[in-house]
Amino acid sequence: MNRAPRQMKLGAFLMATGHHVAAWRHPDVPADAGLSFAHYKHLAKVAEAAKFDALFIADSVAAATGDGANRMARSDHFEPLTLVSALSAVTERIGLIVTATTSYNEPYHIARKFASLDHLSGGRAGWNLVTSDAAAEALNFGRDEHIDHAQRYRRAREFHQVVTGLWDSWQDDAFIRDKASGQYYDPSRLHVLDHKGEHFQVKGPLNVARSPQGQPVVVQAGSSEAGRRLAAQTAEVVFTAQASLSAAQAFYRDLKSRAGAFHRDPDDLKIMPGMFVVVGDTEAQAQEKFESFQDLVQPEVGVALLERMLGNFDLSGYPLDQPLPELPLTQSGQQSRQALLTQLSRNEQLTLAQLGRRIAGGRGHFSVIGTATQIADHWQEWFEQGAADGFNVLVPHLPGGLEDVANKVIPELQRRGLFRQDYSGTTLREHLGLKRPANRLFPVTER
C-alpha cells in the first residue's frame, strides 16, 4: 500500500507586534496590536489562507514590569483563550493552540475551557501545557515566591492526568436528549473521576460533553530533563528551541525514543522546533530588513529580555561590556533555555549587551534570514534529516512578517511537495495526522 508523502506541520506563532522585541517601534507595525481584535483577525485570515495547521499563542499571567519592560510591547495583551474563542467565529479550518499554565490554574477550569473551545471551533482546540517560568506570576496567586522547578513538573503531570480524565467524563453518545422519553443523558455513559492526589482533589464529572476531537490536542514546550519526561508521557506536539541542526536531531531522536519507552507510537508525538525567519527578495534585502529592527534595540531592553529568558535573574549589577556571568541553575525559569543561551554566549564570545541584542528576535530559536528559497532549504533539511516534523514559525513583525511567509515561503514549500495545497480535514488532529483518542474510562462495547 502506498503511503502519502510526509508533509510538514506549520504553526503560526503570534506575538502581538511580532517576535522581535523592538518590533512595536517600527513604522510598519501597529503599536497597539496587543489589544486590537481587527489585527488578530487579519493574522488568522492570512494564516488560514496559507493553510497553516494552527495559530499558536503564548501567555503569561503577570505583566512585564521592571527595568527595560516599559520599552517593550509585552505588558498588555488579550487573555488568549478569550481571543481564540472570538477567532474561532471568523475562521473555519485553522487550529487554535493556546498556552495555559499548570502552575497557577486549576484542572477543572482548564478542562472546561478547552473542551468548550473545541466545541465552539468544531474540533480545532489545542492546549499548550506549560509550567510557569515567570517568577512574578506567583505574586498574583497568593504566593510569596515561585514554585520550584521539580515541584512545578510534578504538579503538571498530575494536572494533565486530571484534565484528560475530566475530558473523558462522558462517552461520546452519552447525551441522547430524547424528548419523547424525557431522558437527557444516559447515566451508564457517565464516569465520575473522583481524583485524590498530591496536588488536587477533583470529584467531576466535567459539565461539558466530550468534545469533537475526543480531547483537544495537548502541546508541551519544555526541553529540560523534566520537560522531556513530561512530553514523552503526555504531549502530542512538542514545541522546542534548538540552536542547530545537530542539536535538533539529537532532541528529536531522544523524544521519539522516550515516547516508545512509554508504549506510544513515536509518530503520535510531533516535534516542531521554533524557527525565526526574516524573508527578503534577496539575502541582502532580508538582512537589511532584520537590521532595521536590530537598530531599534536599546541595551536595557536586550538585557531585560535576557534576564527573563535566563530564568528570572537580576543582571543590573553586571557590566554590559563583559561576558555573561556564571549563574546558578534557575529554579524559577526555563532550565533548557538557560543552558541554550549560556552556550550561545560562550560559543560566540558575546558580551552581556551583545547577547541581549543577539536574542532580540528569536530568543534563542534557530534563525534564518534570507530569501524564500533559502528558508525553504533550511526547513527541508531539518524536516528530511530527522530534526523536525514541522515548525512553529516566528516572524520579526506583524502583520508583514507573516504575510511574507504566507506569500513567499509557503508557495515554495508547496512547489516542493512538502506542504499541503489545501486542508483535507476539519479538525486540528486531522491536520496534524493525530488519531482521535478513544475514551479510556469506558470499555469498547457493542451497543
Side-chain angles (χ1 to χ4, degrees), residues 228-258:
R228 294 183 193 211
R229 286 198 303 270
L230 181 64
Q233 289 178 274
T234 67
E236 296 171 286
V237 176
V238 174
F239 175 37
T240 178
Q242 300 297 329
S244 67
L245 172 62
S246 60
Q249 288 170 320
F251 181 85
Y252 188 94
R253 289 192 300 269
D254 181 56
L255 259 292
K256 297 283 186 172
S257 173
R258 290 179 189 236

Side-chain angles (χ1 to χ4, degrees), residues 86-400:
L87 290 175
S88 74
V90 296
T91 55
E92 296 180 353
R93 296 292 188 90
I94 195 164
L96 305 165
I97 300 174
V98 172
T99 297
T101 177
T102 60
S103 302
Y104 302 112
N105 274 303
E106 289 293 324
Y108 198 94
H109 286 143
I110 294 303
R112 187 182 188 213
K113 291 174 181 178
F114 279 91
S116 296
L117 176 62
D118 210 41
H119 280 285
L120 284 170
S121 64
R124 295 186 282 137
W127 171 33
N128 181 36
L129 182 164
V130 302
T131 67
S132 289
D133 63 1
E137 293 184 11
L139 305 179
N140 293 331
F141 295 91
R143 296 181 61 91
D144 293 326
E145 58 183 26
H146 196 21
I147 306 169
D148 71 45
H149 191 270
Q151 185 181 357
R152 290 204 308 275
Y153 276 95
R154 288 195 302 272
R155 177 185 168 97
R157 191 168 290 106
E158 185 181 345
F159 197 111
H160 173 270
Q161 179 186 354
V162 176
V163 168
T164 53
L166 288 169
W167 281 338
D168 281 346
S169 294
W170 305 91
Q171 186 55 292
D172 287 324
D173 58 356
F175 288 90
I176 54 179
R177 303 183 182 95
D178 187 340
K179 292 184 178 183
S181 68
Q183 188 174 24
Y184 194 76
Y185 70 83
D186 180 350
S188 71
R189 314 301 282 171
L190 163 65
H191 177 88
V192 177
L193 186 63
D194 199 20
H195 174 90
K196 295 178 181 176
E198 178 186 359
H199 299 280
F200 306 108
Q201 181 173 321
V202 181
K203 181 74 172 179
L206 192 65
N207 59 346
V208 181
R210 199 158 191 260
S211 71
Q213 294 187 105
Q215 297 187 358
V217 173
V218 176
V219 183
Q220 210 271 326
S223 298
S224 67
E225 177 59 29
R228 294 183 193 211
R229 286 198 303 270
L230 181 64
Q233 289 178 274
T234 67
E236 296 171 286
V237 176
V238 174
F239 175 37
T240 178
Q242 300 297 329
S244 67
L245 172 62
S246 60
Q249 288 170 320
F251 181 85
Y252 188 94
R253 289 192 300 269
D254 181 56
L255 259 292
K256 297 283 186 172
S257 173
R258 290 179 189 236
F262 283 105
H263 309 291
R264 299 181 61 196
D265 182 343
D267 196 46
D268 289 340
L269 179 62
K270 307 297 182 184
I271 298 174
M272 298 174 64
M275 276 274 183
F276 177 78
V277 298
V278 184
V279 188
D281 291 332
T282 65
E283 186 175 357
Q285 185 190 74
Q287 189 63 47
E288 182 181 354
K289 184 183 294 186
F290 178 62
E291 290 301 329
S292 73
F293 294 104
Q294 290 291 84
D295 289 344
L296 299 173
V297 179
Q298 297 158 303
E300 62 269 35
V301 171
V303 173
L305 177 64
L306 192 57
E307 289 176 333
R308 171 80 168 78
M309 300 310 301
L310 283 168
N312 306 297
F313 289 103
D314 180 6
L315 300 175
S316 60
Y318 295 96
L320 295 178
D321 61 353
Q322 295 298 309
L324 179 70
E326 291 290 334
L327 298 171
L329 182 66
T330 179
Q331 295 303 318
S332 65
Q334 300 179 48
Q335 293 182 354
S336 59
R337 192 63 59 91
Q338 181 187 23
L340 186 153
L341 296 181
T342 300
Q343 192 62 45
L344 179 66
S345 176
R346 291 172 181 165
N347 289 348
E348 299 187 11
Q349 298 182 319
L350 301 173
T351 66
L352 197 58
Q354 288 170 336
L355 181 59
R357 192 172 187 272
R358 173 73 166 76
I359 68 165
R363 301 186 305 283
H365 290 280
F366 191 83
S367 299
V368 186
I369 301 169
T371 65
T373 298
Q374 290 172 318
I375 292 167
D377 286 344
H378 278 282
W379 289 7
Q380 183 169 1
E381 181 182 26
W382 283 47
F383 180 65
E384 294 181 344
Q385 297 300 317
D389 295 309
F391 304 98
N392 224 3
V393 181
L394 295 71
V395 296
H397 66 307
L398 292 169

